Amino acid sequence: MSESPVIERLYFGRDDAERDIADGLLRSGFKETAAYGAVVSGRKMLVIGRKGVGKSAICVRLAYGGVHSGGTALITPDDTAGEEIRQFELTGLAGDHAKSLMWRYVFALRAAQYLVRHAAEHSGRTPASVKTLRSFLKANQELIGGAQTSNGFQQGLQGLSGSLSLEAFGVKAAADFAQTPGEGARAANRLKILEEGVRLGLADLGCAPTHTLLLLVDQLEQVWSGDPDSNSLIIGLLLAARHVSSQYGNALRCALFLRSDIYDSLSFGEGDKFRSDELRIDWTESDLEDLALRRARSSVGPELTAQRLWGEIFPRTVRGRPTVSYLMSHTLLRPRDLIQYLNECQYTAIGNGHHHGIHESDVLAATRRFSEWKLKDLVQEYLVAHPFLERLFPLFQNSGYLMTRAALRHRVELTQDALHREFPAYAGVLTLDGIIRTLYEVGFLGVRRGNGVVYAGVPLLPVQPHEGEFHLHSCFREALGATSAAGVGAYDRQVLDSIQSQVMSGSVHAVAQGGSRVARGYALLERLDRACRSVLGHIARSDGLPDEVRTEIAAQVRRILDDTEHAPHADPPVAEERIVLEAAGYFRTLACRLRRDGLDGDGADSLATRLSELSTRLVRSVGGGTGSSGES
């Protein structure tokens, strides 16, 4: 049987790490980045990044990939326990410290379960300290391997509140804690006894550092709702993780995986003590290109080269750009984005019957769908922190992807009252500066700085009051219909402006035929030629015009010039009046867009003013009228 076409075998893996480790490519196509190495070695404890950046991939790889020499325990609180653990309190303790005790109990419990299991792998007698832990777990109905051991949150809440049995350690709660005042103090004392038991067990087995137990905490966004209780839950986790490193030495350590928007929203006195533990995940284009090749090789074969992937399987270029560059520019530089995008390109090609290579048209079609996905995903990613985000998108719909502060101010003023009525709690954010700051922080907008446009991927300088040129990220342009810098479509002689019908119903039809008709046609084309060259000259002198807009308009004016030069030789012949009127209409549309979006100055020497003047003169020339000078 012949091998199936390479396009049908091509696959880049699953969207989420949990399924990708089970039936995807997280094992064979995993890229061991510097971030991954820092977590494995223990140099970093706190992994921070946006959704889809690969935090869970590292976590799941460590938990199930068999790459850690010691034991691992994956702790992922789900939303069914969210309300209960968010509201956990102990009288006499501040919220952060009460939740820190809760996390410390969960960690100690998972360590005790690990020690009881791991002791069976050691030859010789089980240490008395481990036997004590086994008795403790049985007494508290924490059945090893049973359904109740999944995360221990419910049992932890009950145990710390007063039902925890410590008789295995020789402690009778009723007698030994009777003199301890306050619920919080009693809980702290119970926890110290358990933690000391775990510390003795780890020391007696003597596995460290060869068999260090690694506690992995992930999916915290499932229980975070942006309120003070949620923040206390995360702060308590950070405090508990730091306590683990001091309590158990190198026998037990934590790795926490947090979304950057959650971590950056925290404010607490000890926050500066975690700076050396922080690891922020960011990807470069070359890293993602390597990841794509690794995953493609896992599905197609190890002999696949980058040249074949990006020159034969994928088209060499898309819209004149190298394919890799085009694809990367339309993602937020996250592995999940790239995996989804590449899989959609492959799926589209198969659907279009292209079994021997992905065509440029397949990539373009996939780009449109991918852009729609990412716009919806952005709303979901920030639904808790910025519930108003989706309402801001119409400000950029069917417009240019480049927008000035002045143009954005005008649009915000038109919608601000409605936004304040719908989201009264966010009125302080729904201002011009607040909207710009939010859209920049989530990666929706970039800001012009120097010769480039900066998009927020890592903590960068916030948007400054003097910065006034913003760019919609390429990832979202297709979904919003904002694919050109100035928001004006390409010049097309097949699309007539309404101005044509107005003028053609007038004196144009009365123009004589014959020699005078030919002479008139040449005169009109010459006038249009001078007008185009005048616009090009003005563009070159317009220092305030953004480079993208300058390039875009110049390219369209050159298309008009090209039509003008070829019109006398066209077969079949074309009406010169039609060419001139279409160009006049296009000039007028450009002028309106430039003024509306504040892309050019308002003075007499602005490009918009010049385009309007030329449009009027061209229309008059077709209609038989003349301007003040008769010249363009």
Side-chain angles (χ1 to χ4, degrees):
M1 181 180 294
S2 61
E3 190 175 39
S4 59
V6 65
I7 297 299
E8 295 182 5
R9 290 182 285 125
L10 186 65
Y11 182 54
F12 293 94
R14 295 285 191 180
D15 296 354
D16 60 283
E18 291 76 17
R19 288 190 301 159
D20 208 29
I21 194 73
D23 62 354
L25 302 177
L26 195 53
R27 296 179 190 272
S28 59
F30 184 77
K31 178 177 174 60
E32 295 188 0
T33 61
Y36 173 79
V39 176
V40 171
S41 66
R43 294 192 304 273
K44 298 292 183 179
M45 174 188 77
L46 186 53
V47 183
I48 305 165
R50 286 190 62 174
K51 184 178 180 181
V53 82
K55 303 182 303 299
S56 291
I58 295 176
C59 180
V60 171
R61 172 77 170 176
L62 288 169
Y64 303 117
V67 295
H68 178 62
S69 59
T72 59
L74 178 60
I75 301 172
T76 55
D78 59 31
D79 54 2
T80 60
E83 191 64 24
E84 191 173 0
I85 63 177
R86 279 194 299 268
Q87 296 186 1
F88 177 73
E89 296 178 349
L90 293 169
T91 56
L93 287 181
D96 297 354
H97 292 287
K99 292 181 173 63
S100 175
L101 293 186
M102 179 194 72
W103 284 109
R104 283 169 54 187
Y105 175 79
V106 171
F107 294 161
L109 181 63
R110 298 307 293 270
Q113 293 168 343
Y114 165 76
L115 282 170
V116 172
R117 290 194 304 270
H118 186 61
E121 300 174 10
H122 284 246
S123 59
R125 298 177 59 184
T126 300
S129 58
V130 177
K131 292 179 180 178
T132 298
L133 290 174
R134 181 187 296 123
S135 298
F136 163 78
L137 293 174
K138 288 182 178 179
N140 288 279
Q141 298 182 347
E142 295 293 345
L143 304 177
I144 299 175
Q148 291 177 305
T149 65
S150 59
N151 285 321
F153 283 102
Q154 285 75 14
Q155 292 81 2
L157 299 179
Q158 297 170 7
L160 287 179
S161 298
S163 61
L164 188 66
S165 172
L166 297 172
E167 292 189 16
F169 299 104
V171 177
K172 292 185 180 296
D176 295 349
F177 294 115
Q179 303 302 317
T180 305
E183 183 184 32
R186 288 194 295 271
N189 285 341
R190 292 188 190 97
L191 183 56
K192 286 179 182 178
I193 292 170
L194 173 58
E195 288 180 330
E196 178 61 17
V198 171
R199 189 189 66 79
L200 288 174
L202 289 168
D204 289 344
L205 281 182
C207 294
T210 306
H211 289 163
T212 298
L213 173 60
L214 180 59
L215 301 174
L216 306 163
V217 185
D218 195 17
Q219 303 293 330
L220 290 160
E221 61 271 16
Q222 299 294 329
V223 294
W224 184 77
S225 57
D227 58 7
D229 286 334
S230 295
N231 289 340
S232 287
L233 180 66
I234 307 301
I235 293 170
L237 170 63
L238 295 171
L239 297 175
R242 194 180 67 187
H243 173 83
V244 162
S245 62
S246 62
Q247 174 71 21
Y248 305 109
N250 58 5
L252 177 64
R253 59 185 178 87
C254 294
L256 316 180
F257 300 84
L258 284 173
R259 280 226 320 244
S260 53
D261 58 316
I262 295 177
Y263 183 73
D264 293 337
S265 70
L266 303 177
S267 178
F268 62 111
E270 297 182 81
D272 60 326
K273 297 179 180 179
F274 292 89
R275 298 307 181 204
S276 60
D277 291 315
E278 292 180 10
L279 169 65
R280 292 188 181 261
I281 300 182
D282 290 289
W283 290 77
T284 64
E285 289 191 9
S286 60
D287 285 339
L288 286 174
E289 183 179 350
D290 182 62
L291 176 65
L293 181 59
R294 285 171 180 265
R295 287 179 169 252
R297 282 173 172 167
S298 294
S299 61
V300 173
E303 71 283 355
L304 180 66
T305 63
Q307 290 74 20
R308 187 183 177 205
L309 178 62
W310 304 117
E312 298 178 22
I313 298 176
F314 278 84
R316 191 172 302 279
T317 62
V318 177
R319 286 184 171 164
R321 296 178 60 182
T323 298
V324 174
S325 175
Y326 179 88
L327 293 171
M328 295 300 178
S329 70
H330 283 75
T331 73
L332 297 177
L333 294 183
R334 302 183 295 192
R336 183 177 299 169
D337 290 352
L338 188 62
I339 290 169
Q340 292 173 341
Y341 198 179
L342 296 176
N343 280 336
E344 185 61 18
C345 290
Q346 181 255 9
Y347 177 79
T348 302
I350 292 176
N352 290 335
H354 302 152
H355 297 284
H356 299 288
I358 298 171
H359 293 194
E360 181 178 2
S361 60
D362 301 324
V363 176
L364 295 176
T367 300
R368 287 189 290 272
R369 284 190 289 272
F370 176 74
S371 181
E372 293 169 358
W373 294 347
K374 292 298 103 179
L375 198 63
K376 294 177 182 177
D377 291 347
L378 192 69
V379 172
Q380 293 303 314
E381 182 177 355
Y382 291 99
L383 191 59
V384 173
H386 307 303
F388 53 83
L389 195 59
E390 188 173 17
R391 299 295 189 275
L392 302 181
F393 295 160
L395 298 175
F396 305 88
Q397 200 157 17
N398 299 322
S399 181
Y401 64 74
L402 190 156
M403 188 169 291
T404 63
R405 185 181 288 270
L408 192 52
R409 177 182 292 108
H410 175 66
R411 298 188 185 192
V412 169
E413 288 172 351
L414 294 176
T415 60
Q416 197 168 38
D417 289 344
L419 288 170
H420 287 184
R421 285 194 300 271
E422 188 172 358
F423 303 98
Y426 296 87
V429 177
L430 293 171
T431 62
L432 174 64
D433 289 339
I435 288 172
I436 290 174
R437 181 175 62 253
T438 298
L439 294 177
Y440 173 71
E441 289 175 352
V442 303
F444 184 81
L445 283 184
V447 59
R448 166 73 69 181
R449 285 180 180 155
N451 294 325
V453 179
V454 177
Y455 294 93
V458 296
L460 293 171
L461 181 69
V463 176
Q464 301 300 296
H466 67 274
E467 293 175 324
E469 181 183 326
F470 306 100
H471 290 235
L472 176 62
H473 196 289
S474 301
C475 184
F476 309 110
R477 293 176 188 174
E478 289 283 349
L480 292 172
T483 55
S484 68
V488 181
Y491 168 74
D492 187 349
R493 288 197 299 105
Q494 303 304 313
V495 180
L496 297 182
D497 191 85
S498 61
I499 197 172
Q500 179 186 1
S501 60
Q502 298 171 16
V503 177
M504 292 299 285
S505 62
S507 60
V508 173
H509 293 290
V511 176
Q513 301 298 312
S516 62
R517 175 71 176 83
V518 173
R520 171 180 166 77
Y522 276 108
L524 288 174
L525 293 177
E526 288 176 2
R527 188 179 293 269
L528 178 56
D529 184 283
R530 292 197 301 273
C532 289
R533 298 186 188 281
S534 174
V535 171
L536 291 174
H538 205 102
I539 290 173
R541 297 190 301 273
S542 298
D543 294 334
L545 202 63
D547 290 341
E548 291 84 352
V549 176
R550 184 196 311 273
T551 301
E552 184 176 288
I553 294 177
Q556 300 308 319
V557 172
R558 291 190 183 96
R559 290 186 64 181
I560 298 174
L561 265 178
D562 186 64
D563 277 352
T564 304
E565 293 171 357
H566 289 85
H569 314 289
D571 185 20
V574 295
E576 293 85 352
E577 294 92 342
R578 177 173 180 169
I579 295 177
V580 173
L581 287 175
E582 288 169 355
Y586 194 75
F587 285 172
R588 186 182 66 174
T589 301
L590 279 174
C592 291
R593 287 297 179 96
L594 289 171
R595 290 194 180 101
R596 184 199 67 185
D597 293 340
L599 295 175
D600 192 28
D602 296 325
D605 62 342
S606 73
L607 177 60
T609 300
R610 185 58 177 159
L611 287 167
S612 295
E613 292 173 351
L614 291 172
S615 175
T616 300
R617 292 180 183 182
L618 289 171
V619 170
R620 287 177 178 173
S621 68
V622 173
T626 59
S628 58
S629 66
E631 293 295 327
S632 295

